[in-house]
Amino acid sequence: MHRDLISRLAHADHPIAAPLDDDSVRRLLDRALSRGDERVLDLGCGGGEWLLRALTACPDVRAEGVDTSEVALAHARKAAGALGVQDRLVLHHRAAADFAASHAFDLVLSVGAAHAFGGLLPTLAAAREHLAPGGRVLVGDGLWLREPSREAVEMLGDFANLPTTVDRVVADGWTPVYGHVSSREELDGYEWAWTGTLASWALDNQGDPDSAEALAVATAHRSEWLRVYRDTWGFVTLILRPTAG
Ligand SMILES: C[S@@+](CC[C@H](N)C(=O)[O-])C[C@H]1O[C@@H](n2cnc3c(N)ncnc32)[C@H](O)[C@@H]1O
């Protein structure tokens, strides 16, 4: 089964592909979209859920999303049509690091997609290139809640704890103007939704040639989460303004 298809099935009940619940997403977008007529870019937009919520909440916002997954972009396109916001959404099928626009953006989002740039600071460097004067960045990335096992680092990558993460961002020339650390309920809710929705699809579609593989992937993911990283991995979402300029 293609990884993008697994991800699409797994996110059916939790369309934000990161451990944030609907209230947290709404609060972060409220803070990030202070005018309501911003031009918004999402680097690694996936199914476009952050953009769809911004476009639905703010009728004057215009948005662009970039992602390498055609499956995710097709979902975003269809959802935008169903919500009647397709005229204000442009989707680009390409690597986020290769994306170039002829105009700048008031808000640059990148949530759970820092691997596309090689880490948090390179993601911020890319966002800065797209940012209009006075603009903001909304970035979400992993962190360690406590010392991780070597297995967890090998599985998820090397993160820092919360204060070190924020210190690094500040030293890189950004000022956090808001932030959200995902709660235990949000972290667990995301993983239960990912594994449970995929497993349910497998059980509901036992005649499908992909059913057995989908169930195996859900089972392996749940086991890795519970055994390797549930107690150590967390997630922070920051709204940032350039400290100078
Ligand atoms: C965890 S998902 C997050 C999606 C979305 N930001 C959200 O919060 O719902 C990560 C996304 O990054 C995309 N991605 C991975 N590598 C990428 C790259 N080099 N350029 C653009 N997107 C990429 C994946 O296809 C996936 O949709």
Side-chain angles (χ1 to χ4, degrees):
M1 252 181 122
H2 195 281
R3 179 77 207 170
D4 289 353
L5 182 56
I6 288 175
S7 175
R8 187 84 328 257
L9 290 172
H11 286 111
D13 296 331
H14 196 300
I16 294 287
L20 292 104
D21 67 21
D22 292 341
D23 284 344
S24 300
V25 172
R26 192 177 311 115
R27 202 169 54 252
L28 284 156
L29 285 174
D30 277 355
R31 295 273 187 152
L33 296 168
S34 52
R35 295 201 319 256
D37 65 350
E38 285 87 346
R39 216 165 182 155
V40 182
L41 171 66
D42 191 340
L43 298 169
C45 65
E49 197 60 26
W50 287 85
L51 297 179
L52 294 170
R53 293 184 192 199
L55 290 164
T56 309
C58 304
D60 294 326
V61 158
R62 286 165 295 162
E64 298 188 35
V66 187
D67 205 283
T68 46
S69 168
E70 185 47 61
V71 175
L73 292 174
H75 176 85
R77 210 170 285 122
K78 192 168 165 204
L83 292 166
V85 299
Q86 70 278 12
D87 294 348
R88 293 184 286 128
L89 177 64
V90 181
L91 296 167
H92 304 272
H93 181 213
R94 78 186 55 146
D98 297 340
F99 176 69
S102 56
H103 50 264
F105 294 86
D106 306 298
L107 175 63
V108 180
L109 296 158
S110 189
V111 180
H115 52 284
F117 298 95
L120 178 57
L121 297 187
T123 301
L124 293 178
R128 194 187 283 273
E129 293 294 313
H130 294 290
L131 208 56
R136 289 161 193 229
V137 172
L138 189 159
V139 69
D141 198 19
L143 56 80
W144 296 127
L145 298 168
R146 53 189 66 82
E147 197 63 26
S149 64
R150 182 153 15 108
E151 199 181 357
V153 175
E154 279 165 12
M155 189 175 291
L156 299 181
D158 203 5
F159 299 101
N161 63 24
L162 178 62
T164 303
T165 301
V166 173
D167 284 351
R168 287 177 184 171
V169 167
V170 170
D172 196 45
W174 300 92
T175 297
V177 294
Y178 192 60
H180 173 75
V181 178
S182 295
S183 66
R184 168 53 51 205
E185 287 72 24
E186 289 176 304
L187 293 161
D188 283 357
Y190 180 59
E191 299 287 358
W192 281 124
W194 200 105
T195 58
T197 307
L198 186 59
S200 284
W201 180 87
L203 297 180
D204 288 343
N205 293 276
Q206 295 192 33
D208 191 294
D210 287 333
S211 171
E213 187 183 347
L215 189 58
V217 169
T219 302
H221 186 120
R222 188 183 60 238
S223 174
E224 286 170 357
W225 160 52
L226 292 172
R227 289 177 197 288
V228 180
Y229 66 88
R230 179 177 181 264
D231 293 335
T232 49
W233 189 79
F235 199 84
V236 61
T237 308
L238 299 167
I239 300 178
L240 304 169
R241 293 179 56 186
T243 304

